[in-house]
Amino acid sequence: MTTKEYAIQCLKDEAQAILDLIPLMDDQFDKAVDLIMDCPGKVIVTGVGKSGHIGAKIAATLASTGTPSFFINPLDVYHGDLGVMSANDVVLAISNSGQTDELLRFIPMVLHMQIPIIGMSGNPQSLLAKYSTYHLNVSVEKEACPLNLAPTSSTTATLAMGDALAIALMEKRNFQPQDFAQFHPGGELGKRLLTTAQDVMITENLPLLSADMHLGQAIIHVSKGKLGLGVAIENDCIAGLITDGDIRRAMEKWQAEFFNHTVEDIMTRTPKTVGPQAKISEIQKLMNKHKVHNVLVVDEGNHLLGIVDRYACVL
């Protein structure tokens, strides 16, 4: 086999390991999800070695999707970290063999505190499974390692089961994109879902027109505004909007008579508007739906506060 073929076989083995988990899913999974849902405290994920690394990722995924969670190394428990645990918590203990000595020495402390345990291992007959309130079976037929020694398929399967747990909890909690954004305020999704029109709208040198302004003069205001539009104002309220496209079409239609017409003759009387607290994600949907490049930001009295253009929505 070539180097590439070895890599492809590894991917196939790990993919098969994940698929093989499906027949192992039983009511223990449902009960584990319900246990976490009913937990008034937090989920404490623990594991040693490679299982610990996978556990840290599972804890991070749970925490970022609405389930308060963090990882703790069982070895640290003997040096004071037991104080972070309470009877309101749930422990998710991970061990491929289910017989890891360092982890098993931690279990009696958890049981003494009457904290329920969700065990995750590849051995449903293990001591970890025996002492768990519920056990999630992540056994694999073989490791992707050619020696069948290095944790590969087993860690992939465990990680996938952790993701399945997180996704199931998201569904049970009706976890929405805006909830996700609150846990990821620095990411692109967070910015789109948390940033408002007020944060990005243009407020200075707005291209303001009057409805009776002649189009020749209106062109100058639209050009200076550099937004490709002009907003007609009457009695301090928005009366309409004209765009570069409106002007070009009017020129083609009226030609020499163009300069005899006014803004009122070509303006859109119901331009797209949003409030200052509208989210950028909502504004993007509005622009895409109506095929517009700008929206007007208004207050409850239809007074112009600013303009949001398409480029401001690219965060």
Side-chain angles (χ1 to χ4, degrees):
M1 293 176 68
T2 65
T3 303
K4 182 179 178 181
E5 288 172 334
Y6 281 120
I8 292 173
Q9 186 59 49
C10 173
L11 295 176
K12 287 182 177 180
D13 289 342
E14 295 200 5
Q16 188 60 51
I18 294 176
L19 292 175
D20 288 344
L21 292 179
I22 296 175
L24 303 180
M25 300 284 283
D26 54 20
D27 64 344
Q28 293 282 293
F29 183 88
D30 294 326
K31 291 176 180 178
V33 170
D34 290 338
L35 179 63
I36 295 175
M37 282 293 295
D38 295 335
C39 170
K42 52 199 174 295
V43 176
I44 298 172
V45 186
T46 187
V48 179
K50 301 298 189 297
S51 293
H53 295 308
I54 296 300
K57 191 275 177 186
I58 292 174
T61 300
L62 289 170
S64 67
T65 52
T67 300
S69 176
F70 65 88
F71 175 80
I72 186 172
N73 190 315
L75 301 177
D76 293 332
V77 170
Y78 305 110
H79 301 283
D81 282 5
L82 190 63
V84 304
M85 299 171 58
S86 75
N88 291 326
D89 299 331
V90 170
V91 166
L92 173 60
I94 303 171
S95 167
N96 183 46
S97 68
Q99 302 288 124
T100 306
D101 182 61
E102 297 91 338
L103 185 63
L104 292 178
R105 284 191 283 124
F106 166 62
I107 297 300
M109 304 179 194
V110 179
L111 295 176
H112 177 72
M113 297 178 67
Q114 297 184 326
I115 299 174
I117 300 171
I118 298 172
M120 189 182 295
S121 81
N123 182 4
Q125 306 304 319
S126 64
L127 287 175
L128 175 58
K130 177 181 177 180
Y131 289 111
S132 296
T133 309
Y134 303 115
H135 179 257
L136 304 180
N137 189 351
V138 290
S139 61
V140 299
E141 182 177 340
K142 65 174 183 175
E143 299 287 2
C145 164
L147 302 178
N148 197 30
L149 294 174
T152 45
S153 296
S154 59
T155 50
T156 299
T158 304
L159 182 62
M161 183 64 77
D163 287 342
L165 200 59
I167 297 306
L169 287 163
M170 287 178 69
E171 290 292 339
K172 293 276 283 188
R173 296 184 194 282
N174 193 28
F175 197 78
Q176 298 298 311
Q178 55 267 30
D179 301 314
F180 188 86
Q182 291 178 349
F183 291 104
H184 301 76
E188 178 184 350
L189 176 61
K191 290 178 181 177
R192 286 195 291 111
L193 291 173
L194 298 179
T195 303
T196 65
Q198 185 173 257
D199 297 325
V200 299
M201 67 184 183
I202 299 167
T203 58
E204 298 181 356
N205 301 317
L206 299 178
L208 304 182
L209 318 170
S210 62
D212 60 359
M213 180 182 291
H214 282 89
L215 292 179
Q217 186 179 1
I219 290 175
I220 297 174
H221 287 272
V222 171
S223 179
K224 286 183 178 180
K226 299 180 179 179
L227 293 174
L229 58 79
V231 184
I233 302 294
E234 285 185 352
N235 300 320
D236 293 329
C237 294
I238 297 172
L241 177 142
I242 66 171
T243 66
D244 282 337
D246 295 327
I247 293 173
R248 287 195 302 272
R249 286 186 289 272
M251 284 182 170
E252 293 175 0
K253 178 180 179 181
W254 290 316
Q255 298 185 15
E257 299 296 320
F258 171 80
F259 292 99
N260 295 329
H261 289 272
T262 65
V263 169
E264 187 175 19
D265 295 331
I266 65 170
M267 69 183 185
T268 299
R269 298 179 183 276
T270 56
K272 303 308 173 188
T273 62
V274 296
Q277 297 304 316
K279 301 294 191 295
I280 289 300
S281 58
E282 299 169 2
I283 296 174
Q284 286 180 319
K285 291 179 181 178
L286 183 67
M287 288 180 174
N288 292 335
K289 178 180 179 180
H290 297 283
K291 296 181 173 57
V292 297
H293 298 283
N294 308 83
V295 296
L296 308 182
V297 184
V298 301
D299 62 15
E300 294 180 355
N302 200 36
H303 302 112
L304 182 65
L305 301 177
I307 299 173
V308 176
D309 67 9
R310 182 174 291 276
Y311 299 106
C313 295
V314 182
L315 299 174

